[in-house]
Amino acid sequence: MPIGRSVILFGVLVWVKLLYQYEKTRGMTLIISMVTKKGIFNISDMRITSVEGDGRNLLADEQEKFLALNRHVILVFWGWTGNEKPSELRVKLEKFKQSVKENDSATEVAKMLRVFCSREIQLCREDPLGFHVFGIENEQYILHHVFFDHTSKNGRFIDENSLEEFHQFTHLGFIRIARLTDYPIIFNGDNKLVNLIINGLQSLGDVVPYYDFEPWESKNFLKFLMETAIDLQRFSENSREDGPLIGYPLNLWELVSRSLPFKSIIHSDCKNRKWNKDNEFCLEE
Protein backbone atom coordinates (compact mmCIF):
# COMPACT_ATOMS: atom_id res chain seq x y z
CA MET A 1 0.00 0.00 0.00
CA PRO A 2 1.40 3.47 -0.85
CA ILE A 3 2.68 5.42 2.14
CA GLY A 4 0.18 8.21 1.59
CA ARG A 5 -2.78 5.86 1.81
CA SER A 6 -1.30 4.11 4.86
CA VAL A 7 -1.08 7.46 6.66
CA ILE A 8 -4.65 8.34 5.66
CA LEU A 9 -5.98 4.96 6.82
CA PHE A 10 -4.13 5.31 10.14
CA GLY A 11 -5.70 8.75 10.52
CA VAL A 12 -9.14 7.30 9.86
CA LEU A 13 -8.65 4.62 12.53
CA VAL A 14 -7.48 7.23 15.07
CA TRP A 15 -10.46 9.44 14.21
CA VAL A 16 -12.89 6.55 14.64
CA LYS A 17 -11.39 5.69 18.03
CA LEU A 18 -11.59 9.29 19.25
CA LEU A 19 -15.11 9.73 17.95
CA TYR A 20 -16.49 6.59 19.57
CA GLN A 21 -14.42 6.28 22.72
CA TYR A 22 -17.36 7.62 24.73
CA GLU A 23 -19.85 5.32 23.00
CA LYS A 24 -18.63 1.84 23.86
CA THR A 25 -21.15 -0.81 22.94
CA ARG A 26 -22.32 -2.52 26.11
CA GLY A 27 -25.21 -4.55 24.86
CA MET A 28 -27.25 -5.50 21.93
CA THR A 29 -27.62 -5.13 18.22
CA LEU A 30 -26.64 -3.23 15.12
CA ILE A 31 -29.20 -1.13 13.28
CA ILE A 32 -28.69 0.87 10.09
CA SER A 33 -31.11 3.39 8.55
CA MET A 34 -30.47 4.77 5.08
CA VAL A 35 -32.28 7.56 3.21
CA THR A 36 -32.00 7.47 -0.58
CA LYS A 37 -33.67 9.28 -3.47
CA LYS A 38 -36.05 6.32 -3.78
CA GLY A 39 -36.96 5.64 -0.14
CA ILE A 40 -35.94 4.80 3.42
CA PHE A 41 -34.41 1.44 4.27
CA ASN A 42 -33.63 0.00 7.71
CA ILE A 43 -32.04 -3.25 8.84
CA SER A 44 -31.68 -4.65 12.36
CA ASP A 45 -30.81 -7.95 13.97
CA MET A 46 -32.79 -9.89 16.57
CA ARG A 47 -30.07 -10.99 18.99
CA ILE A 48 -30.60 -10.14 22.66
CA THR A 49 -27.34 -10.30 24.59
CA SER A 50 -26.76 -10.63 28.32
CA VAL A 51 -23.43 -9.83 29.97
CA GLU A 52 -22.32 -12.36 32.56
CA GLY A 53 -20.31 -11.63 35.67
CA ASP A 54 -17.05 -12.47 33.89
CA GLY A 55 -17.87 -9.99 31.12
CA ARG A 56 -18.80 -12.60 28.52
CA ASN A 57 -21.63 -11.81 26.09
CA LEU A 58 -24.16 -14.66 25.96
CA LEU A 59 -27.19 -15.12 23.73
CA ALA A 60 -30.16 -14.51 26.00
CA ASP A 61 -33.05 -14.41 23.54
CA GLU A 62 -34.26 -13.33 20.12
CA GLN A 63 -36.62 -10.41 19.80
CA GLU A 64 -37.89 -8.07 17.12
CA LYS A 65 -36.44 -4.62 17.76
CA PHE A 66 -39.01 -2.68 15.78
CA LEU A 67 -42.55 -1.46 16.26
CA ALA A 68 -44.95 -0.24 13.56
CA LEU A 69 -46.54 2.73 15.35
CA ASN A 70 -49.10 3.47 12.66
CA ARG A 71 -49.49 2.79 8.94
CA HIS A 72 -46.59 5.05 7.95
CA VAL A 73 -44.23 5.37 10.96
CA ILE A 74 -41.75 2.70 12.11
CA LEU A 75 -39.61 2.67 15.26
CA VAL A 76 -36.47 0.52 15.60
CA PHE A 77 -34.39 0.46 18.79
CA TRP A 78 -30.79 -0.29 19.64
CA GLY A 79 -28.55 -0.20 22.70
CA TRP A 80 -28.41 -1.36 26.27
CA THR A 81 -31.47 -1.49 28.49
CA GLY A 82 -29.63 -1.24 31.80
CA ASN A 83 -31.55 -2.78 34.68
CA GLU A 84 -34.59 -3.41 32.51
CA LYS A 85 -35.01 -6.51 30.39
CA PRO A 86 -35.50 -5.91 26.65
CA SER A 87 -38.94 -7.51 27.01
CA GLU A 88 -39.82 -4.89 29.65
CA LEU A 89 -38.68 -2.15 27.29
CA ARG A 90 -40.91 -3.54 24.58
CA VAL A 91 -43.89 -3.53 26.96
CA LYS A 92 -43.27 0.18 27.59
CA LEU A 93 -43.01 0.84 23.86
CA GLU A 94 -46.32 -0.94 23.32
CA LYS A 95 -47.75 1.42 25.93
CA PHE A 96 -46.30 4.35 24.00
CA LYS A 97 -47.86 3.05 20.77
CA GLN A 98 -51.31 3.43 22.33
CA SER A 99 -50.75 7.20 22.46
CA VAL A 100 -49.83 7.43 18.76
CA LYS A 101 -52.67 8.43 16.43
CA GLU A 102 -53.05 7.04 12.93
CA ASN A 103 -52.21 10.37 11.29
CA ASP A 104 -49.26 11.30 13.53
CA SER A 105 -46.12 11.96 11.49
CA ALA A 106 -42.62 10.67 12.20
CA THR A 107 -41.61 14.14 13.41
CA GLU A 108 -44.55 14.29 15.84
CA VAL A 109 -43.91 10.73 17.04
CA ALA A 110 -40.22 11.48 17.69
CA LYS A 111 -41.13 14.47 19.87
CA MET A 112 -43.64 12.39 21.80
CA LEU A 113 -41.12 9.54 22.18
CA ARG A 114 -38.48 11.84 23.68
CA VAL A 115 -40.90 12.99 26.38
CA PHE A 116 -42.14 9.45 27.02
CA CYS A 117 -38.64 7.99 27.36
CA SER A 118 -37.51 10.75 29.71
CA ARG A 119 -40.46 9.94 31.96
CA GLU A 120 -40.78 6.15 31.69
CA ILE A 121 -37.32 4.70 30.99
CA GLN A 122 -34.73 4.64 33.76
CA LEU A 123 -31.12 4.09 32.70
CA CYS A 124 -27.74 4.23 34.33
CA ARG A 125 -25.61 7.12 33.17
CA GLU A 126 -23.38 4.94 30.98
CA ASP A 127 -26.21 3.08 29.24
CA PRO A 128 -26.56 3.90 25.51
CA LEU A 129 -30.08 3.48 24.14
CA GLY A 130 -31.72 4.94 21.06
CA PHE A 131 -34.54 4.73 18.55
CA HIS A 132 -34.64 5.30 14.79
CA VAL A 133 -38.04 6.74 13.85
CA PHE A 134 -38.83 7.03 10.14
CA GLY A 135 -41.74 7.74 7.80
CA ILE A 136 -43.00 10.04 5.04
CA GLU A 137 -44.24 13.61 5.49
CA ASN A 138 -45.44 15.84 2.66
CA GLU A 139 -43.80 13.60 0.05
CA GLN A 140 -40.47 13.78 1.93
CA TYR A 141 -38.70 10.90 3.67
CA ILE A 142 -38.15 11.65 7.37
CA LEU A 143 -35.66 10.06 9.77
CA HIS A 144 -35.23 10.95 13.45
CA HIS A 145 -32.89 9.52 16.07
CA VAL A 146 -34.16 9.72 19.66
CA PHE A 147 -31.40 8.68 22.04
CA PHE A 148 -30.19 8.82 25.62
CA ASP A 149 -27.55 11.47 26.32
CA HIS A 150 -25.38 9.64 28.84
CA THR A 151 -23.11 12.69 29.24
CA SER A 152 -25.84 14.82 30.84
CA LYS A 153 -26.30 15.00 34.58
CA ASN A 154 -30.06 14.60 34.26
CA GLY A 155 -29.91 11.65 31.87
CA ARG A 156 -31.99 13.35 29.19
CA PHE A 157 -33.23 11.94 25.89
CA ILE A 158 -32.63 13.95 22.72
CA ASP A 159 -34.66 14.11 19.52
CA GLU A 160 -32.34 14.56 16.54
CA ASN A 161 -33.62 15.24 13.01
CA SER A 162 -31.14 13.10 11.09
CA LEU A 163 -31.79 14.94 7.82
CA GLU A 164 -30.45 18.15 9.37
CA GLU A 165 -27.93 17.20 12.04
CA PHE A 166 -25.84 14.56 13.75
CA HIS A 167 -23.95 14.51 17.05
CA GLN A 168 -20.71 13.60 18.73
CA PHE A 169 -19.95 12.73 22.33
CA THR A 170 -16.58 14.21 23.29
CA HIS A 171 -14.74 15.04 26.50
CA LEU A 172 -16.59 18.37 26.29
CA GLY A 173 -19.94 16.59 26.27
CA PHE A 174 -22.71 16.41 23.67
CA ILE A 175 -22.18 18.41 20.45
CA ARG A 176 -24.69 18.99 17.62
CA ILE A 177 -23.27 19.26 14.09
CA ALA A 178 -25.11 20.36 10.93
CA ARG A 179 -25.43 17.60 8.35
CA LEU A 180 -24.23 18.41 4.84
CA THR A 181 -26.20 15.79 2.90
CA ASP A 182 -29.89 15.37 2.11
CA TYR A 183 -29.53 11.59 2.20
CA PRO A 184 -28.06 10.43 5.53
CA ILE A 185 -27.13 6.94 6.60
CA ILE A 186 -27.03 6.42 10.37
CA PHE A 187 -25.87 3.33 12.25
CA ASN A 188 -25.84 2.51 15.95
CA GLY A 189 -24.86 -0.32 18.23
CA ASP A 190 -21.83 -2.45 17.37
CA ASN A 191 -21.17 -0.31 14.29
CA LYS A 192 -17.39 -0.48 13.82
CA LEU A 193 -17.49 -2.32 10.49
CA VAL A 194 -20.16 -0.05 8.98
CA ASN A 195 -18.32 3.05 10.17
CA LEU A 196 -15.08 1.91 8.55
CA ILE A 197 -16.78 1.13 5.25
CA ILE A 198 -18.85 4.31 4.97
CA ASN A 199 -16.45 6.85 6.49
CA GLY A 200 -13.22 4.99 5.78
CA LEU A 201 -13.85 4.78 2.04
CA GLN A 202 -14.70 8.47 1.92
CA SER A 203 -11.46 9.37 3.69
CA LEU A 204 -9.56 7.34 1.09
CA GLY A 205 -11.13 9.24 -1.79
CA ASP A 206 -13.87 6.73 -2.59
CA VAL A 207 -17.56 6.60 -1.72
CA VAL A 208 -20.57 4.26 -1.71
CA PRO A 209 -23.25 6.24 -3.66
CA TYR A 210 -26.12 4.62 -1.74
CA TYR A 211 -28.29 7.72 -2.24
CA ASP A 212 -28.57 6.86 -5.96
CA PHE A 213 -29.32 3.16 -5.41
CA GLU A 214 -32.46 1.53 -6.71
CA PRO A 215 -34.55 -0.12 -3.96
CA TRP A 216 -33.22 -3.60 -4.76
CA GLU A 217 -29.62 -2.31 -4.57
CA SER A 218 -30.31 -0.56 -1.25
CA LYS A 219 -31.59 -3.78 0.31
CA ASN A 220 -28.63 -5.77 -0.99
CA PHE A 221 -26.22 -3.16 0.39
CA LEU A 222 -27.77 -3.21 3.87
CA LYS A 223 -27.79 -7.01 3.83
CA PHE A 224 -24.10 -6.97 2.86
CA LEU A 225 -23.22 -4.57 5.70
CA MET A 226 -25.08 -6.57 8.32
CA GLU A 227 -23.83 -9.97 7.19
CA THR A 228 -20.24 -8.71 6.99
CA ALA A 229 -20.51 -7.25 10.51
CA ILE A 230 -21.80 -10.61 11.77
CA ASP A 231 -18.99 -12.50 10.00
CA LEU A 232 -16.36 -10.12 11.38
CA GLN A 233 -17.26 -11.24 14.89
CA ARG A 234 -15.49 -14.56 14.19
CA PHE A 235 -12.19 -12.73 13.76
CA SER A 236 -12.18 -9.48 15.79
CA GLU A 237 -10.35 -9.64 19.10
CA ASN A 238 -13.17 -8.13 21.16
CA SER A 239 -15.75 -10.57 19.78
CA ARG A 240 -13.44 -13.58 20.19
CA GLU A 241 -12.77 -12.67 23.81
CA ASP A 242 -16.16 -11.34 24.92
CA GLY A 243 -18.58 -13.00 22.49
CA PRO A 244 -20.76 -11.63 19.67
CA LEU A 245 -23.38 -8.89 19.89
CA ILE A 246 -25.10 -9.27 16.49
CA GLY A 247 -26.94 -12.27 15.08
CA TYR A 248 -29.63 -13.66 12.79
CA PRO A 249 -32.49 -13.40 11.95
CA LEU A 250 -32.45 -9.92 10.40
CA ASN A 251 -35.39 -7.60 9.78
CA LEU A 252 -35.26 -5.26 6.79
CA TRP A 253 -37.81 -2.47 6.32
CA GLU A 254 -38.39 -0.53 3.13
CA LEU A 255 -40.56 2.55 2.75
CA VAL A 256 -40.81 3.63 -0.88
CA SER A 257 -43.02 6.45 -2.19
CA ARG A 258 -46.51 6.45 -0.65
CA SER A 259 -46.70 2.67 -0.39
CA LEU A 260 -46.99 1.09 3.04
CA PRO A 261 -43.81 -0.01 4.83
CA PHE A 262 -42.81 -3.55 3.89
CA LYS A 263 -40.71 -5.92 6.03
CA SER A 264 -38.48 -8.79 4.92
CA ILE A 265 -36.94 -11.39 7.26
CA ILE A 266 -33.45 -12.66 6.45
CA HIS A 267 -32.28 -15.91 8.04
CA SER A 268 -28.74 -17.26 8.25
CA ASP A 269 -29.41 -19.67 5.37
CA CYS A 270 -30.19 -16.74 3.03
CA LYS A 271 -26.58 -15.62 2.52
CA ASN A 272 -26.64 -16.76 -1.10
CA ARG A 273 -29.85 -14.89 -1.82
CA LYS A 274 -30.05 -11.37 -3.24
CA TRP A 275 -32.72 -9.04 -4.56
CA ASN A 276 -32.67 -8.81 -8.35
CA LYS A 277 -33.78 -5.92 -10.56
CA ASP A 278 -37.35 -7.21 -10.44
CA ASN A 279 -37.19 -6.92 -6.61
CA GLU A 280 -37.34 -10.70 -6.20
CA PHE A 281 -35.37 -12.28 -3.35
CA CYS A 282 -33.74 -15.27 -5.04
CA LEU A 283 -30.56 -17.33 -5.21
CA GLU A 284 -27.63 -15.38 -6.60
CA GLU A 285 -26.72 -16.45 -10.13
Side-chain angles (χ1 to χ4, degrees):
M1 179 184 293
I3 294 178
R5 289 203 169 189
S6 298
V7 172
I8 293 174
L9 182 57
F10 175 75
V12 171
L13 294 174
V14 171
W15 172 78
V16 169
K17 182 175 181 180
L18 289 174
L19 179 60
Y20 287 93
Q21 63 179 330
Y22 299 99
E23 288 192 278
K24 295 180 180 178
T25 301
R26 295 182 56 209
M28 57 183 179
T29 211
L30 167 62
I31 71 173
I32 311 167
S33 293
M34 184 170 75
V35 181
T36 76
K37 296 175 182 178
K38 298 294 179 69
I40 295 183
F41 304 85
N42 171 279
I43 194 167
S44 63
D45 77 319
M46 290 178 60
R47 180 186 173 96
I48 299 295
T49 304
S50 66
V51 180
E52 299 301 296
D54 60 358
R56 289 282 299 172
N57 300 320
L58 297 180
L59 175 63
D61 198 359
E62 292 180 355
Q63 177 179 295
E64 294 176 337
K65 299 170 187 175
F66 66 85
L67 204 60
L69 298 177
N70 58 31
R71 288 166 58 86
H72 296 286
V73 179
I74 307 296
L75 173 154
V76 187
F77 61 91
W78 67 275
W80 183 252
T81 58
N83 294 325
E84 296 188 60
K85 296 179 180 179
S87 58
E88 294 171 343
L89 172 62
R90 189 169 184 87
V91 169
K92 291 186 176 181
L93 293 177
E94 292 284 358
K95 176 183 176 183
F96 170 73
K97 180 179 179 179
Q98 296 175 9
S99 67
V100 177
K101 299 180 176 62
E102 185 58 39
N103 293 324
D104 283 343
S105 67
T107 297
E108 292 169 328
V109 168
K111 291 178 181 179
M112 295 164 56
L113 181 64
R114 183 193 66 79
V115 174
F116 177 86
C117 290
S118 299
R119 183 180 67 245
E120 298 289 340
I121 298 178
Q122 303 297 320
L123 297 173
C124 299
R125 187 172 178 182
E126 295 300 319
D127 290 335
L129 179 66
F131 309 85
H132 292 192
V133 181
F134 55 93
I136 296 180
E137 298 173 26
N138 301 320
E139 307 300 324
Q140 182 182 13
Y141 301 115
I142 299 297
L143 173 62
H144 281 251
H145 186 198
V146 178
F147 58 93
F148 181 62
D149 176 11
H150 57 269
T151 67
S152 68
K153 294 181 179 179
N154 298 325
R156 60 178 179 169
F157 278 82
I158 292 174
D159 170 22
E160 180 175 271
N161 183 343
S162 299
L163 273 69
E164 299 178 355
E165 61 183 344
F166 65 100
H167 69 276
Q168 291 181 7
F169 289 115
T170 72
H171 64 283
L172 299 176
F174 170 81
I175 300 176
R176 292 182 185 267
I177 303 172
R179 193 179 292 278
L180 302 179
T181 177
D182 294 329
Y183 303 102
I185 178 171
I186 64 175
F187 33 87
N188 295 99
D190 190 8
N191 60 12
K192 299 184 292 292
L193 183 280
V194 183
N195 191 42
L196 285 172
I197 289 177
I198 298 298
N199 295 316
L201 272 179
Q202 187 173 12
S203 298
L204 292 171
D206 201 355
V207 67
V208 177
Y210 61 85
Y211 35 82
D212 286 328
F213 285 173
E214 293 295 326
W216 63 275
E217 293 178 297
S218 296
K219 292 186 287 186
N220 284 335
F221 180 52
L222 289 185
K223 181 175 181 287
F224 158 76
L225 290 176
M226 186 67 82
E227 289 181 337
T228 306
I230 291 174
D231 288 344
L232 180 63
Q233 295 177 127
R234 294 186 292 132
F235 306 105
S236 77
E237 183 175 14
N238 287 350
S239 296
R240 288 164 67 93
E241 290 181 356
D242 299 333
L245 293 167
I246 320 166
Y248 293 97
L250 311 177
N251 289 299
L252 194 153
W253 282 95
E254 57 181 301
L255 180 55
V256 179
S257 187
R258 294 299 299 177
S259 61
L260 296 178
F262 182 79
K263 178 175 68 70
S264 302
I265 300 177
I266 304 171
H267 295 277
S268 58
D269 58 359
C270 294
K271 296 190 69 172
N272 293 328
R273 291 182 175 269
K274 300 286 187 296
W275 280 271
N276 61 23
K277 292 183 179 181
D278 295 322
N279 212 25
E280 298 170 332
F281 192 53
C282 53
L283 288 174
E284 191 173 19
E285 297 181 359

